[in-house]
Amino acid sequence: MLLWHVLILKKDIKMRFNYECNDCKNVFETDEVVYQCPICSKEQEANTFPKGNLIVKLNKDDLAQLKQKDHVDMYDFFPFDVPDRDVYPVGNTPLARPKRLAKELGLTNLHCKLDSALPSGSFKDRASQLIAAQAIHYKMDKIALASTGNAGAAMSCAGAAYGLDIILFVPETAPVNKLMQSVLYDATVVPVKGSYDDAFALSIAYTSEFGGINRNTAYNPMTIEGKKSVSIELFEQMGRKVPDVVYVPVGDGCIFAGVYKGFYDLFEAGLIEKIPHLVCAQSTKSNAISQAFKNNHFKAIANASTRADSISVSTPANGRMAVNYIKASDGWCVEVDDEDIITAQLKLTAKAGIFVEPAAACAWAALKQDKDHLIKEFGSDVDVCVLLTGTGFKDMAVFENRVSIPKAIENSKAAVIARFKK
Ligand SMILES: Cc1ncc(COP(=O)(O)O)c(C=O)c1O
């Protein structure tokens, strides 16, 4: 066991914790901000998933205390206090029961978790909430990150709400519509003549030079820790139980790891007896984690190119942890074609009133493709939850040449009659 230095707990730390490396399993105890395992993060090999991501491990005795409570919420499980929670109200997203589609699939206990309803329109608000709390805890007022999409928007949204400076590094070629939200939230957006990886490295250069917290996804372990809130919320929303199976859309594998971590903490607290089976839903055009799970390797793929751009990832930043958690939850992977993702998106909208972006629809498409296996394995009353991670308004361009607005009719009663007469 390696100790960076002796843990000195600050009074306002809510729950004691240390960090464990996902790869070498060394435990690090520190009250300073840390990002990656200093040993494994140096062992990167070309064309493989990165190593050295840290897991926040909560103190077992502190967790066990939570079993006594009649009601728990995410804040009970967070390492830092979240101040002024209503300033940036993250959580309590609706749990929809899409009756018409459930009937069509032959499933009687089907839920959709609508994280599209979070303040900036995506699941990434969950991570940004805890990162904002981390910055406030360490008395820092700057947060830097690299992102081309939802993470940048979510962090910028939190920055606007709390009055924190957000410095967002983006590749020069990032799509304008994805960046617009961050510009509107008044973040400092820094386009970089380079790739996402270059923007990532520059954001780290920024924090080492100017201070502040770095929120890069997977790099800062508190991103995964924040994302776990969804599972704790589900536990209470479902009447102090958890689903049998959860479908999660996956790119880098951080959301997947967060979902697992929430259930893991509930399990460690003695509040649930079993972690749900977690299903990793990917596009066939961006399937690095699924292939790694199936073929027992950690190889990057060449040029991921799914239309569901939020999950288009060649070298998943949290791929190793995600594969571990697919196994630990006795889960599996489903790969779906892009066409099926868009069909799923349109169907969820028209037949359930649920409007999500393509990345989120990937989870629904995976459930649809997997339904026979699911029913055979668990029965038609299996308790299923599909995680819908982003709103459809994020990417309206996807509907071009697929959906059109009807032509205007003349302004007359005769035109109405002509339009509707059978
Ligand atoms: C809407 C949405 N869904 C799913 C994902 C996938 O999350 P991860 O990359 O952590 O696997 C993302 C990531 O950006 C996202 O924005």
Side-chain angles (χ1 to χ4, degrees), residues 122 124 150 227 249-255 310-311 357 359-360 389-390:
S122 92
K124 301 291 169 114
N150 290 334
K227 288 172 186 179
V250 174
D252 276 312
C254 297
I255 291 183
S310 299
I311 50 169
E357 68 164 277
T389 45

Side-chain angles (χ1 to χ4, degrees), residues 15 54 79 102 144 146 200 248 256 276 286 312 317 320 330 382 390 409:
M15 184 168 280
L54 296 175
F200 193 98
V248 186
F256 193 90
S286 176
S312 197
R320 288 174 192 262
D330 202 6
V382 57
I409 60 165

Side-chain angles (χ1 to χ4, degrees), residues 174-366:
V176 176
N177 64 332
K178 289 263 172 184
L179 294 182
M180 190 52 87
Q181 232 186 320
S182 299
V183 173
L184 291 168
Y185 287 134
D186 207 18
T188 303
V189 176
V190 187
V192 174
K193 291 181 195 287
S195 64
Y196 172 76
D197 288 349
D198 298 325
F200 193 98
L202 291 188
S203 76
I204 294 170
Y206 175 90
T207 37
S208 48
E209 192 68 26
F210 298 106
I213 295 286
N214 193 296
R215 185 233 185 263
N216 281 346
T217 198
Y219 179 71
N220 184 332
M222 291 302 164
T223 54
I224 290 166
E225 197 59 12
K227 288 172 186 179
K228 76 180 183 184
S229 61
V230 69
S231 309
I232 294 151
E233 214 172 287
L234 264 177
F235 167 70
E236 287 292 355
Q237 271 179 320
M238 296 185 72
R240 308 217 103 200
K241 66 183 185 68
V242 290
D244 299 312
V245 184
V246 183
Y247 286 77
V248 186
V250 174
D252 276 312
C254 297
I255 291 183
F256 193 90
V259 174
Y260 177 85
K261 180 59 168 40
F263 291 129
Y264 174 85
D265 283 354
L266 285 166
F267 179 80
E268 289 288 291
L271 287 162
I272 59 172
E273 281 171 9
K274 197 178 166 300
I275 291 175
H277 302 277
L278 301 187
V279 184
C280 159
Q282 291 210 286
S283 158
T284 50
K285 290 183 169 168
S286 176
N287 58 0
I289 291 180
S290 167
Q291 289 299 305
F293 171 73
K294 285 176 186 155
N295 300 320
N296 228 3
H297 61 53
F298 290 116
K299 277 193 212 139
I301 56 165
N303 304 325
S305 61
T306 168
R307 180 62 187 78
D309 60 347
S310 299
I311 50 169
S312 197
V313 176
S314 297
T315 310
N318 202 44
R320 288 174 192 262
M321 198 187 291
V323 170
N324 287 353
Y325 290 168
I326 299 168
K327 292 179 186 164
S329 71
D330 202 6
W332 59 93
C333 297
V334 180
E335 293 179 21
V336 288
D337 289 338
D338 271 24
E339 229 10 77
D340 292 338
I341 292 178
I342 306 302
T343 306
Q345 182 190 24
L346 295 174
K347 190 131 194 190
L348 266 177
T349 316
K351 298 265 191 292
I354 296 175
F355 186 40
V356 296
E357 68 164 277
C362 178
W364 182 270

